[in-house]
Amino acid sequence: MVIFAVCLVASACQPSLPERDIATHGFPQAGRDAIARYGCGACHTIGGVPGAHGTVGPSLKGLGDRAYLAGHIPNTPDGLIAWIQHPQALDPRSAMPDLGVNETDARNIAAYLLNAPR
Ligand code: HEC
């Protein structure tokens, strides 16, 4: 019961998140905070991020299993980090706006998305 209460207060019961992600060299926990800060959840459904139930863009659950981002960008760690920072440069016709995400945040966000609960 105590553990349950702590989960509710901290909303941080994600035991499967690694401290550091090997593929992106990012920190998943910090990535989850950055996702909330940039408001990605307004457009995307993202597992483990409270309030991230958007349907404007595709769900980002299980993102690591996808071969392509936005239908044509190979879903490598570097490709994902680049997309999060510069979607308009990679695909000017995409509806995803540039949100001014810096590289550290993009790396951490990618680390979270590749390890997020489904
Ligand atoms: C205004 C709405 C909007 C916001 C805010 C937004 N996105 Fe997107 N995002 C989209 C749309 C629409 C697409 C689909 C792009 C396409 O296919 O051209 C997309 C695509 C993506 C993809 C590729 C997914 C796939 O399977 O193709 C990722 C990853 C992504 N967004 C991450 C993020 C992250 C991280 C943030 C916050 C920093 C964010 N998005 C903020 C609208 C948004």
Side-chain angles (χ1 to χ4, degrees):
M1 187 57 200
V2 172
I3 292 171
F4 178 66
V6 169
C7 290
L8 278 180
V9 171
S11 71
C13 289
Q14 311 266 340
S16 62
L17 280 184
E19 193 180 323
R20 186 161 196 190
D21 176 67
I22 295 167
T24 57
H25 304 291
F27 296 89
Q29 313 262 4
R32 186 175 50 205
D33 295 344
I35 285 169
R37 210 164 61 240
Y38 285 103
C40 314
C43 291
H44 293 287
T45 296
I46 306 169
V49 179
H53 304 298
T55 54
V56 176
S59 167
L60 301 183
K61 289 184 174 181
L63 186 71
D65 296 339
R66 227 161 288 170
Y68 294 100
L69 303 170
H72 64 105
I73 294 155
N75 186 13
T76 61
D78 284 348
L80 178 55
I81 292 164
W83 173 263
I84 291 167
Q85 286 189 271
H86 309 294
Q88 288 297 310
L90 292 170
D91 185 347
R93 297 185 63 194
S94 172
M96 177 160 155
D98 283 354
L99 295 168
V101 182
N102 66 42
E103 200 204 318
T104 303
D105 286 341
R107 199 168 281 286
N108 292 340
I109 289 171
Y112 180 75
L113 293 177
L114 294 176
N115 290 283
R118 283 149 190 275

